[in-house]
Amino acid sequence: MGTNEEDQNGPKRYREGVVNPAMLADENTNLTPPAKQAYFKDHQILIPEVEMKGFSFRKLWAFTGPGFLMSIAYLDPGNIQSDLESGSVAMYKLLWVLLSATLLGLMIQRLSARLGVVTGLHLAEMCYRQYQKLPRIFVWLMVEIAIIGSDMQEVIGTAIALYLLSNKLIPLWAGVLITAVDTFTFLLLDRYGLRKLECLFGFLITVMAISFGYEYIVVGPDQVEVLKGMFIPWCEDCDSKALMQAVGIVGAVIMPHNMYLHSALVKSRQIDRKKSEKVKEANRYFFIEACIALFVSFIINVFVVSVFAAGLHNKTNQEVRNVCLSNGNSMADIFPDDYELVDADIYNGGIFLGCQFGIAAMYIWAVGILAAGQSSTMTGCYSGQFAMEGFLNLQWARWKRVLLTRTVAIIPTFFVAYYSNIDDMNNMNNYLNSIMSLQLPFALIPTIAFTSSRAIMGDFVSGPVTIIASMLLATVVIGINIYYVVNLVAGWSVGWAVYSGVAIFGVFYLCLCIYLFLHMLASLGIVKSFSNSWFVEKYIYSSATTFVLSNQSNYSSTSVMALEDSVRYQAGEL
């Protein structure tokens, strides 16, 4: 295998007490042959050493970046659409759902970040090592569907923003085509270094905060009602539409591909994984940064919900149309002359702001949507790169990966924009949210399984409370999203062929979820007879998983030791 005797006998000598485990605890645990280098391998940011003990703002600044890039997924156009619909349908009554979903998202993001910090492997790379080939490929396809669905939302948001900013001079289909180019602009910026790119994302988040904060100040929502909606978990006099909106909030906030993204982004910091105190320090600072980033994203989401709660709740199309006409707004025709309640979306919401509070409010709204779409575009690019790199042990040039994802996203969106109208594009957002919601198990279950396995995490394994809480969370979130999708499908008026296709997909989907659940149960080792059964070893575990779990009692608390053994086993070196 081209390795020296010490390398070949390392794990064996360690078990005999000859070798210090730290000698083998190396971050380079990529599969060989051939070795695939992660993107951040040669672009890591150094963490400064400081003399003072305890918390250090200097160290926090060094760790700051991954959490804010991760938080972009909580501010993409799909989330903005969900926010404004929530406000217009239920006023402030669902803000507590938004707060709960954000806190639950923080819990899961913490687990995904810990996985990357402790093992030096991101979630997709870990799936490569832990799952058998066929289910692993299917999980990868599900993650790709989520990434492409998110990319389509970003295309829609950017196209609508350009349409508003240009006063309809840039048609929707042209805006869609423009998004094919803008991603490559970001790839050029990427060449100037990760730190500068993180600063760019910080600037875009600031633009969103200022834009939507301006709308909040202009509209002036009732602050007492905002606080009541945020902290009183109830929705008095809410109908089925409000219930579906609450379900939609959870699906829009907790994004499946974001867990893969966050577990990879933390690898951009240079962490000495041979020293447990350095790993603990990294986990602590990354968690603090994630808390700050998600707090900022939550405030921005509250701005959007509150603006449309105060402005569009129980407003009819005719009322808003009359306001637009009285202020001489040329876009008044977007609101029909009827007594139906306004069906709010990103486009007509912006026009309403322009009619009610002046044209500047509409343009500032469009700038915020543009910033949301553009920032989400790049994080989607990263997610796709990490998923392909990890699941397939394959590296593509980033421009090829962007070209593939963006082409798949643009083609259907372009046809909708060219042959239909803007309402159809906005309706796509709801369907895309439901599609991405369905992919959540393929990120939630692996994240919980891997971070709850002592063979993988060593002393940093999740405790019983965290395991139980995260499993309950996964059950609730998955149940909520299945309920949402079932209700959405029930409203379709289609033929038996479509329902048959949905049923077939449902069976396949359920089988894949069962596999992931059984793997998680076996990895936890709660039921020893099940974990050690021939069925699990043959149909659930990968060969490396079988080896690691059967020998985990021989390992120290250094989790990378177990990974190193499993990698060598797969490479035929053990």
Side-chain angles (χ1 to χ4, degrees):
M1 291 293 175
T3 59
N4 57 38
E5 184 177 352
E6 172 134 338
D7 287 339
Q8 291 176 334
N9 296 328
K12 178 182 177 182
R13 293 174 64 203
Y14 162 68
R15 287 190 289 270
E16 292 172 351
V18 179
V19 180
N20 186 322
M23 295 173 61
L24 292 173
D26 191 284
E27 187 183 358
N28 184 19
T29 54
N30 291 314
L31 286 177
T32 56
K36 303 295 182 185
Q37 295 297 312
Y39 171 67
F40 291 127
K41 185 69 177 176
D42 301 317
H43 299 78
Q44 290 184 327
I45 293 170
L46 295 175
I47 305 301
E49 293 292 339
V50 295
E51 294 181 1
M52 62 179 293
K53 294 183 179 181
F55 180 79
S56 167
F57 281 103
R58 187 181 172 196
K59 282 195 174 184
L60 178 61
W61 174 247
F63 281 106
T64 297
F68 280 91
L69 267 67
M70 167 274 293
S71 72
I72 292 294
Y74 292 73
L75 295 168
D76 70 356
N79 275 286
I80 302 302
Q81 170 105 350
S82 175
D83 290 338
L84 63 90
E85 288 177 350
S86 167
S88 63
V89 169
M91 290 195 74
Y92 314 100
K93 298 174 184 176
L94 296 180
L95 281 174
W96 66 272
V97 178
L98 176 63
L99 175 61
S100 301
T102 304
L103 291 175
L104 295 178
L106 174 63
M107 178 181 175
I108 293 299
Q109 297 298 159
R110 173 177 174 267
L111 292 180
S112 65
R114 282 172 63 86
L115 179 69
V117 169
V118 173
T119 67
L121 301 171
H122 60 68
L123 185 55
E125 290 173 327
M126 193 62 70
C127 288
Y128 189 101
R129 288 151 176 78
Q130 295 295 311
Y131 295 143
Q132 293 192 4
K133 183 174 182 179
L134 188 60
R136 170 170 53 85
I137 295 298
F138 285 137
V139 171
W140 169 65
L141 290 175
M142 290 297 188
V143 174
E144 290 289 353
I145 289 172
I147 293 170
I148 291 169
S150 176
D151 207 44
M152 289 179 70
Q153 288 186 319
E154 289 141 19
V155 169
I156 292 170
T158 301
I160 291 175
L162 293 173
Y163 189 64
L164 284 171
L165 286 170
S166 67
N167 199 22
K168 299 184 180 180
L169 290 178
I170 300 178
L172 291 173
W173 61 266
V176 170
L177 293 179
I178 289 172
T179 62
V181 180
D182 61 12
T183 307
F184 293 94
T185 304
F186 279 105
L187 291 181
L188 291 175
L189 294 173
D190 186 29
R191 298 173 64 89
Y192 289 96
L194 176 64
R195 210 60 171 146
K196 292 183 176 63
L197 192 64
E198 289 174 346
C199 288
L200 173 63
F201 279 103
F203 169 75
L204 291 172
I205 292 174
T206 303
V207 169
M208 282 184 269
I210 293 173
S211 299
F212 300 138
Y214 168 84
E215 309 290 358
Y216 185 85
I217 293 171
V218 168
V219 174
D222 186 327
Q223 303 304 309
V224 174
E225 291 299 316
V226 171
L227 292 174
K228 285 171 61 178
M230 201 180 298
F231 296 109
I232 298 178
W234 190 249
C235 190
E236 188 177 356
D237 300 325
C238 287
D239 55 14
S240 59
K241 188 174 182 181
L243 175 62
M244 288 301 294
Q245 193 58 52
V247 172
I249 290 173
V250 177
V253 168
I254 304 177
M255 309 285 280
H257 59 284
N258 212 33
M259 296 164 217
Y260 290 89
L261 174 69
H262 200 193
S263 66
L265 290 173
V266 296
K267 294 174 63 177
S268 62
R269 270 54 181 177
Q270 193 172 87
I271 302 165
D272 187 355
R273 294 182 176 83
K274 299 175 185 178
K275 298 178 180 178
S276 62
E277 63 272 15
K278 294 296 183 182
V279 176
K280 288 180 182 178
E281 176 185 76
N283 282 330
R284 182 171 67 254
Y285 280 106
F286 277 131
F287 180 63
I288 293 172
E289 187 229 1
C291 289
I292 297 171
L294 289 187
F295 175 74
V296 172
S297 71
F298 172 71
I299 294 300
I300 294 174
N301 282 316
V302 169
F303 286 162
V304 178
V305 173
S306 302
V307 163
F308 290 95
L312 277 183
H313 180 65
N314 276 339
K315 289 285 183 67
T316 65
N317 287 314
Q318 188 185 64
E319 287 178 295
V320 179
R321 179 188 176 92
N322 289 338
V323 171
C324 291
L325 291 173
S326 64
N327 289 308
N329 193 302
S330 61
M331 299 182 183
D333 289 342
I334 191 67
F335 298 99
D337 191 9
D338 58 36
Y339 295 98
E340 295 290 326
L341 294 179
V342 175
D343 188 8
D345 54 50
I346 291 174
Y347 177 60
N348 65 24
I351 294 176
F352 157 74
L353 292 173
C355 293
Q356 187 78 48
F357 305 104
I359 198 67
M362 184 188 78
Y363 287 127
I364 292 173
W365 167 259
V367 168
I369 297 299
L370 183 64
Q374 292 298 286
S375 55
S376 300
T377 291
M378 192 59 185
T379 54
C381 166
Y382 272 136
S383 299
Q385 183 81 7
F386 296 139
M388 179 173 285
E389 175 188 277
F391 277 105
L392 304 182
N393 195 33
L394 170 70
Q395 274 203 318
W396 261 15
R398 186 162 289 116
W399 71 268
K400 293 180 181 178
R401 169 68 216 192
V402 174
L403 183 63
L404 172 65
T405 305
R406 189 44 55 114
T407 300
V408 175
I410 279 178
I411 289 175
T413 311
F414 173 80
F415 279 107
V416 172
Y418 191 82
Y419 291 106
S420 301
N421 54 51
I422 198 163
D423 290 333
D424 294 321
M425 288 190 70
N426 281 306
N427 289 334
M428 281 182 68
N429 261 328
N430 295 325
Y431 288 108
L432 291 170
N433 274 337
S434 65
I435 288 172
M436 286 186 288
S437 297
L438 280 175
Q439 315 312 317
L440 273 172
F442 311 113
L444 276 174
I445 297 177
T447 300
I448 295 169
F450 302 152
T451 55
S452 302
S453 171
R454 181 166 292 277
I456 293 174
M457 299 293 287
D459 279 349
F460 296 96
V461 64
S462 297
V465 174
T466 301
I467 293 173
I468 294 171
S470 57
M471 291 181 72
L472 288 175
L473 164 64
T475 303
V476 170
V477 170
I478 292 170
I480 284 174
N481 286 290
I482 290 175
Y483 172 81
Y484 178 79
V485 173
V486 168
N487 275 271
L488 190 68
V489 172
W492 290 356
S493 298
V494 293
W496 64 269
V498 175
Y499 283 118
S500 298
V502 171
I504 293 172
F505 174 79
V507 172
F508 160 77
Y509 178 90
L510 184 61
C511 289
L512 191 55
C513 287
I514 290 173
Y515 170 84
L516 295 180
F517 177 78
L518 292 177
H519 183 281
M520 178 177 68
L521 186 63
S523 298
L524 289 174
I526 298 174
V527 183
K528 297 293 184 183
S529 58
F530 175 73
S531 299
N532 298 327
S533 66
W534 66 269
F535 172 81
V536 168
E537 291 194 4
K538 184 174 182 180
Y539 295 109
I540 305 298
Y541 287 155
S542 68
S543 56
T545 308
T546 302
F547 181 83
V548 170
L549 292 177
S550 63
N551 290 276
Q552 61 181 309
S553 61
N554 296 318
Y555 300 136
S556 74
S557 61
T558 307
S559 62
V560 182
M561 179 70 241
L563 291 172
E564 187 74 22
D565 274 4
S566 72
V567 170
R568 294 180 183 222
Y569 179 78
Q570 283 195 335
E573 297 176 10
L574 293 177

